Amino acid sequence: MTTVASRFQGVIPPVCTPRTADGAIDVPSLENLTRHLLDGGVAGLFVNGSSGEVTHMTNTERDTVLTTISGVNAGQVPLLVGAVEQTTNRVIEEAARVVALGADALVATSQYYAISNAEENGRHFRAIAASVDVPVFAYDVPVRTHFKLPTDLLVELGREGVIAGVKDSSGDDVAFRQLLIAARDIPNFDIFTGHEVVVDGAMLGGAQGIVPGLGNVDPAAYRRLYDLSVAGDWAGAAAEQDRIADVFNIVYTPKAGRVSGNAAGLGAFKTALMLMGIIKTNVMSAPMLSLDEDETAAIKVILERTGLL
């Protein structure tokens, strides 16, 4: 476990994972997407997270994604890498592998599938942190883990130096604000919102950065939003956030019931990236369906309206 000055602030998008028409990892498209993000001014890259479809990938695919992104990045920005597994020992095993491949920090959820409580998850994060020599971020995403990480546990782990911060995708804006307040006096403790459309409010509350899935599509807009927020130009930040909220309408284009909620959001990001010429296909990881021609046409209208095409 290492305590270091913070390197993890700003816009750190969770990188999508392009696939070829036959379902393999599309390495050239992933390289192009990584360059698109770096050119957009991101401060880091979150590799093998939910937006990367990490739970749908084999270990070989996860390694391919990480080494590909690392090769293009070449040390330009820190790589926060998901060590996403069901239980403690599996996360520790995954963590060792991704650190060996160049992770600058780990991102780990609470246990999932296993039914646990706050006490067990405290031991979970302490064991992970003790096993590696890079910072560990707690990823609070109860829609996927079915467990909301309690504010008092996160603050306790932060004060102990077990975790370096939190990536909050809980959708619980009250708990998020309470965490920001409770953690203000913890040095080098970085709290990120994963919420695409209330970033200005999160930054006003004291968040250190943004981990937006939509940042794959328009990283430059999130960089502008972050910079305006840091400068205290809240009117400018709100205007940029309003435009981003319009772009976010792409996730509502899939036909109700045709695809899962997961495939709708991530499929919209991939479809937008395909239309923008950044990746070749919008193919999803099996068994998820890709967006169809009508849904793609609807996304094109939104991209044109918001200046991305």
Side-chain angles (χ1 to χ4, degrees):
M1 180 172 63
T2 305
T3 302
V4 295
S6 174
R7 299 167 55 202
F8 309 103
Q9 300 190 13
V11 181
I12 304 178
V15 186
C16 288
T17 302
R19 290 189 179 273
T20 63
D22 62 1
I25 302 296
D26 185 345
V27 170
S29 286
L30 182 56
E31 291 173 337
N32 202 39
L33 174 56
T34 304
R35 286 189 288 268
H36 167 67
L37 295 171
L38 293 170
D39 290 345
V42 303
L45 297 167
F46 177 21
V47 183
N48 290 348
S50 302
S51 292
E53 302 168 44
V54 62
T55 55
H56 293 75
M57 290 194 285
T58 66
N59 284 350
T60 299
E61 289 177 326
R62 292 182 184 188
D63 292 354
T64 297
V65 167
L66 175 52
T67 56
T68 299
I69 293 172
S70 179
V72 175
N73 180 54
Q76 294 178 67
V77 299
L79 300 181
L80 289 75
V81 182
V84 180
E85 288 290 348
Q86 296 98 320
T87 51
T88 306
N89 288 337
R90 293 180 66 85
V91 175
I92 289 172
E93 183 178 82
E94 180 82 349
R97 199 176 80 251
V98 301
V99 168
L101 291 174
D104 295 302
L106 289 180
V107 184
T109 71
S110 64
Q111 295 189 105
Y112 62 91
Y113 190 83
I115 299 171
S116 60
N117 59 12
E119 173 65 27
E120 289 183 4
N121 276 297
R123 295 203 296 271
H124 170 73
F125 281 105
R126 290 182 181 97
I128 296 165
S131 76
V132 294
D133 197 33
V134 299
V136 175
F137 284 82
Y139 185 6
D140 191 14
V141 58
V143 70
R144 296 180 183 278
T145 64
H146 306 290
F147 182 83
K148 173 77 178 73
L149 286 168
T151 297
D152 57 353
L153 174 62
L154 294 170
V155 171
E156 178 183 309
L157 294 173
R159 293 194 192 287
E160 292 178 14
V162 172
I163 59 173
V166 178
K167 193 262 186 176
D168 182 278
S169 292
S170 68
D172 186 337
D173 291 334
V174 174
F176 183 70
R177 187 59 175 259
Q178 291 171 335
L179 175 62
L180 290 170
I181 294 168
R184 277 178 183 162
D185 65 339
I186 304 176
N188 302 320
F189 190 76
D190 297 322
I191 301 173
F192 296 88
T193 180
H195 203 315
E196 282 91 351
V197 297
V198 293
V199 172
D200 52 347
M203 293 295 297
L204 180 61
Q208 282 72 46
I210 317 160
V211 187
L214 187 62
N216 284 273
V217 177
D218 198 354
Y222 280 101
R223 177 58 191 267
R224 290 192 298 270
L225 174 53
Y226 176 80
D227 288 344
L228 288 163
S229 299
V230 169
D233 182 354
W234 298 111
E240 189 68 57
Q241 181 68 92
D242 287 349
R243 178 191 160 276
I244 289 170
D246 192 11
V247 178
F248 192 70
N249 283 315
I250 64 175
V251 307
Y252 304 120
T253 58
K255 303 177 188 74
R258 197 187 74 82
V259 298
S260 67
N262 198 42
L266 300 183
F269 300 158
K270 284 188 172 184
T271 300
L273 289 166
M274 179 184 69
L275 289 167
M276 294 165 67
I278 294 165
I279 67 176
K280 291 179 182 176
T281 80
N282 64 350
V283 171
M284 301 295 294
S285 300
M288 290 184 286
L289 294 174
S290 303
L291 301 198
D292 64 21
E293 290 183 3
D294 290 341
E295 292 159 341
T296 298
I299 288 173
K300 183 178 180 181
V301 170
I302 296 169
L303 297 180
E304 289 173 340
R305 181 174 73 226
T306 55
L308 288 169
L309 279 181

